[in-house]
Amino acid sequence: MKIGCPTEIKPQEFRVGMTPNAAKEAVGHGHEVLIQSGAGLGAGFDDAAYEAAGTKIVGTATEIFAQSDMVVKVKEPQAAERKMLREGQVLFTYLHLAPDPEQTKDLLASGATCIAYETVTDRAGGLPLLAPMSEVAGRLAPQVGAWTLQKANGGRGVLMGGVPGVGPARVIVIGGGVVGTHAAKIAAGMGADVTVLDRSLPRLRYLDDVFGGSFKTGYSSAGLLEELLPQADMVIGAVLIPGAAAPKLVRRDQFGMMKPGSVLVDVAIDQGGCFETSRATTHQDPIYEVDGIMHYCVANMPGAVARTSTLALGNATMPFMLALADKGWKRACAEDVHLLNGLNVHAGQLTYAAVGEALGIATVDPKSLI
């Protein structure tokens, strides 16, 4: 199979879809790997590293899309990239279709087979290709939130850990999954007073057992959130419903009860965001203010630490990428229901029910396609 990896073109996206090690593995399996010149530079991998792995360096994304049987990326294809997709081609990347009707429309029109990292599952019920980026984003969230809290950036001017005689920042983390757990660990490590909210009692028990001395937990409800919002200096939105649009958990009419200059960090922005006033921003212009409340809603947070993120993502995606290349997408998905769960679009048909529900588009059972 010819596997192509283009340079990411989303603003301030420095990650790359394949590491040299992943490329070397694919070449070792007998496949031809095409890398766009400079694709890995943002993550610290030059063309020579890919050439040493046995890949072919090509000059343009047009060549990558024209020649490849499978295109491997990081972020969802941008409009210009979607025009280059074709029937029978496999696209393996993050898609986040539920809040993105334009992308969905274009992918359906392309006729391509599109497999989304974020809906591939594992035996434990987890999302193994989303988890590494969730870990990164979760660990970044308190860091960028602390920066936003600084007065010069529009925040309240509160130090996360306080100082002797002055209390720490109060942080609410909504969602106790991978993102929320890592966010709470880092925020607590910075000395903040942290409360994690979740609706799974087993998860709350786990968090309390493992981290009980580091942060508090609470059963998430509208009533408890309203109690905590007036006290909060920072709220981190870490809620995920796999493949579906994120629920709106903090409304604009609640901003009046919050402290002016407090911060909302929306890690769920790829799925539409979990605050009513959230809109996607970039690393170049990451924050904005609504009714005195600061918002940090960068849609590709892990791109800020591109090398760490690329290595972590490559470790997770490589076995699935090799399975798709070695067996073809149909056999690979037929033999692995967890990879089949990643199938979102095939030959003009939407195959992921949560996306169809969010966008009002009829879906087909992916099992019927294999």
Side-chain angles (χ1 to χ4, degrees):
M1 182 179 281
K2 286 188 177 181
I3 307 168
C5 178
T7 301
E8 296 293 323
I9 60 172
K10 188 163 185 170
Q12 288 79 54
E13 181 50 70
F14 305 107
R15 291 172 289 180
V16 61
M18 289 182 73
T19 63
N21 281 346
K24 187 173 184 177
E25 289 282 336
V27 170
H29 281 233
H31 306 294
E32 183 177 353
V33 178
L34 311 176
I35 303 287
Q36 186 177 347
S37 181
L41 290 177
F45 302 115
D46 60 17
D47 289 353
Y50 286 103
E51 288 178 314
T55 71
K56 178 182 177 183
I57 304 297
V58 300
T60 66
T62 302
E63 294 172 86
I64 294 283
F65 280 86
Q67 297 179 38
S68 301
D69 303 307
M70 176 166 65
V71 175
V72 178
K73 282 177 42 59
V74 178
K75 291 305 292 179
E76 71 279 358
Q78 304 301 290
E81 295 172 313
R82 300 196 291 266
K83 291 177 183 176
M84 294 188 280
L85 289 167
R86 65 177 187 274
E87 186 175 351
Q89 195 169 46
V90 175
L91 173 66
F92 192 38
T93 189
Y94 287 115
L95 293 177
H96 301 290
L97 294 179
D100 196 344
E102 286 303 312
Q103 184 197 175
T104 305
K105 176 184 174 184
D106 288 350
L107 294 184
L108 290 170
S110 74
T113 298
C114 306
I115 299 172
Y117 293 162
E118 73 273 9
T119 62
V120 172
T121 56
D122 62 21
R123 292 179 181 177
L127 302 170
L129 305 190
L130 187 62
M133 296 304 92
S134 296
E135 291 164 352
V136 171
R139 287 174 177 242
L140 275 174
Q143 181 176 315
V144 298
W147 178 82
T148 308
L149 263 178
Q150 294 176 27
K151 192 65 178 177
N153 299 321
R156 296 194 68 232
V158 173
L159 184 65
M160 287 287 274
V163 293
V166 180
R170 292 189 174 184
V171 177
I172 303 170
V173 180
I174 308 176
V178 176
V179 170
T181 300
H182 284 266
K185 284 170 62 177
I186 297 302
M190 296 171 79
D193 178 338
V194 182
T195 301
V196 179
L197 305 181
D198 201 276
R199 286 195 166 181
S200 166
L201 287 174
R203 185 64 183 175
L204 291 175
R205 291 189 185 102
Y206 168 80
L207 293 174
D208 194 61
D209 286 344
V210 176
F211 303 105
S214 301
F215 52 78
K216 296 168 282 191
T217 60
Y219 185 83
S220 186
S221 67
L224 179 57
L225 188 57
E226 289 213 344
E227 285 181 38
L228 295 176
L229 283 177
Q231 307 168 30
D233 298 293
M234 184 189 306
V235 181
I236 297 173
V239 175
L240 173 71
I241 300 174
K248 306 301 182 188
L249 299 175
V250 177
R251 305 184 311 274
R252 184 171 186 171
D253 62 21
Q254 294 175 307
F255 289 179
M257 68 176 63
M258 298 176 68
K259 302 171 185 175
S262 55
V263 173
L264 302 179
V265 180
D266 198 338
V267 190
I269 192 64
D270 270 331
Q271 296 294 138
C274 58
F275 308 130
E276 182 184 355
T277 46
S278 292
R279 57 175 173 81
T281 60
T282 67
H283 293 292
Q284 193 171 26
D285 187 17
I287 60 176
Y288 62 93
E289 175 265 332
V290 177
D291 298 343
I293 306 301
M294 302 306 299
H295 294 59
Y296 184 101
C297 304
V298 173
N300 59 332
M301 284 176 63
V305 287
R307 188 169 180 85
T308 297
S309 297
T310 293
L311 289 167
L313 182 61
N315 292 341
T317 59
M318 185 166 62
F320 294 96
M321 180 268 292
L322 291 174
L324 290 166
D326 290 347
K327 303 173 183 178
W329 78 267
K330 274 194 177 183
R331 182 178 153 209
C333 288
E335 293 180 3
D336 184 353
V337 68
H338 301 296
L339 184 55
L340 179 62
N341 288 336
L343 186 65
N344 278 216
V345 173
H346 171 65
Q349 301 174 96
L350 193 64
T351 60
Y352 200 81
V355 173
E357 185 177 342
L359 297 178
I361 300 174
T363 59
V364 300
D365 185 347
K367 292 178 182 176
S368 69
L369 301 175
I370 57 172

